[in-house]
Amino acid sequence: MQAVLEFTKEQIDEVDGLIDRYGAHPSGLIPLLEKVQELLGYLPLSIQEYISEKTHISPNRIYGVVTFYSFFTMEARARHRVQLCLGTACYVKGADAMVEKIENDYQINFGESTEDGRFTFEKARCVGACGLAPVVIIDGEVFGKVTVDSLDGILEQFA
Ligand code: FES
């Protein structure tokens, strides 16, 4: 099917299984989208349209849900998800300088991925580790007291 060419048949078979499991239930849309994102990594328009066709839920409603909740993404993520905490404590301790460094070094905006598919950079709200500010979270692992100078060394650990 044209709409989902970027995914393999196996992936689409799994999406079909998830649709069978969650799609018929009125409150199943969010869990369905969560599971599909877990499987594919993101929810591009093509897969939203596919889900719409299969479930008869309007594409606008699906798009509305995907864009409303920040944990859904329509962009393919890179191998490693790097989140910079911009909560008050981290900001005061210099997180803004790290934002500037990343934007300069990688020439990308937050929310985007590096061309080599290595990192997706995102801004995060307080993750409750303010005593370690400023904090960077990589693939869910929290790194504390990060500085502009130590950031490169930390990122190097993630190929
Ligand atoms: S403000 Fe960054 S962990 Fe709380």
Side-chain angles (χ1 to χ4, degrees):
M1 168 183 259
Q2 179 71 26
V4 287
L5 271 183
E6 66 261 55
F7 300 110
T8 64
K9 181 175 180 317
E10 288 71 26
Q11 286 173 314
I12 294 305
D13 285 348
E14 285 193 58
V15 170
D16 286 342
L18 292 169
I19 290 171
D20 287 345
R21 190 159 163 210
Y22 297 97
H25 202 276
S27 61
L29 180 58
I30 290 177
L32 170 61
L33 293 173
E34 281 176 341
K35 293 288 175 192
V36 173
Q37 180 166 288
E38 248 174 65
L39 176 71
L40 304 175
Y42 67 124
L43 297 168
L45 279 177
S46 60
I47 207 72
Q48 293 179 36
E49 282 162 11
Y50 185 79
I51 291 170
S52 169
E53 274 172 31
K54 292 271 176 165
T55 59
H56 306 293
I57 298 170
S58 84
N60 283 350
R61 181 158 167 237
I62 295 175
Y63 180 80
V65 170
V66 168
T67 52
F68 181 79
Y69 293 101
S70 61
F71 50 83
F72 289 130
T73 179
M74 291 173 55
E75 299 287 329
R77 285 211 174 109
R79 293 194 295 285
H80 304 291
R81 184 181 188 196
V82 182
Q83 297 170 284
L84 251 71
C85 177
L86 290 186
T88 308
C90 289
Y91 195 83
V92 168
K93 296 268 184 151
D96 57 330
M98 280 191 284
V99 170
E100 206 171 298
K101 174 185 167 55
I102 287 171
E103 284 176 343
N104 287 339
D105 286 4
Y106 292 90
Q107 294 290 308
I108 61 171
N109 296 313
F110 277 73
E112 295 176 348
S113 301
T114 53
E115 274 183 15
D116 60 4
R118 191 169 166 209
F119 297 120
T120 298
F121 292 108
E122 296 173 359
K123 294 174 181 174
R125 298 208 181 120
C126 176
V127 293
C130 310
L132 297 175
V135 159
V136 175
I137 306 104
I138 306 180
D139 298 340
E141 187 180 349
V142 174
F143 293 84
K145 302 200 184 296
V146 181
T147 64
V148 166
D149 292 332
S150 69
L151 184 59
D152 284 335
I154 294 169
L155 291 175
E156 268 169 25
Q157 298 170 40
F158 296 85

